[in-house]
Amino acid sequence: MLNKEELIAEAFKAMENSYAPYSKYHVGAALQTADGKIFWGANIENASYGATNCAERSAVFAAYSNGYRKDTIRALAIVSDGEYLAGPCGICRQVLSELIEQDTPIYLSNGRDTMETNIAELLPLQFGMKDVIR
Ligand code: THU
């Protein structure tokens, strides 16, 4: 299993695949599963802007697309080349709140600053399956 620094390094490698001709803001993500697999994600922009996919959603969707589910996801690193350490956008927080465990470590880095958090911290008072399925 990769440690925090190694998973962040994987996310920076994933960031090289970022397709961001509009914002020129590059984001990468790396997700580790219990059996040691790493799924990369990058932000993939679109001329319609709204069809853009964020890096962390790309990584989580890749893991799910390959059969993994929240109980097998061990950690997620999200990195950017921004000046400030950035947290996931609101849409990504909503997606992560359903697709990873509440206490799964989320590592954020911009190469200078790094922090560790989780989705329970990032998204309080969550709207989710419990509200919809009655
Ligand atoms: N972006 C991400 O990939 N993840 C986030 O959580 C924040 C935003 C991307 C989307 C877009 O391609 C660029 O960053 C600027 O918003």
Side-chain angles (χ1 to χ4, degrees), residues 45-71:
E45 297 188 343
N46 186 270
S48 73
Y49 287 33
T52 292
N53 210 57
C54 290
E56 50 274 62
R57 268 182 292 146
S58 299
V60 174
F61 291 160
Y64 267 69
S65 299
N66 283 275
Y68 292 88
R69 291 295 180 263
K70 62 165 75 174
D71 57 311

Side-chain angles (χ1 to χ4, degrees), residues 62-100:
Y64 267 69
S65 299
N66 283 275
Y68 292 88
R69 291 295 180 263
K70 62 165 75 174
D71 57 311
T72 56
I73 295 173
R74 290 289 174 266
L76 173 66
I78 308 164
V79 307
S80 76
D81 61 359
E83 189 177 346
Y84 308 106
L85 185 70
C89 80
I91 294 173
C92 286
R93 290 180 201 217
Q94 178 65 27
V95 169
L96 294 175
S97 76
E98 180 156 342
L99 299 187
I100 68 172

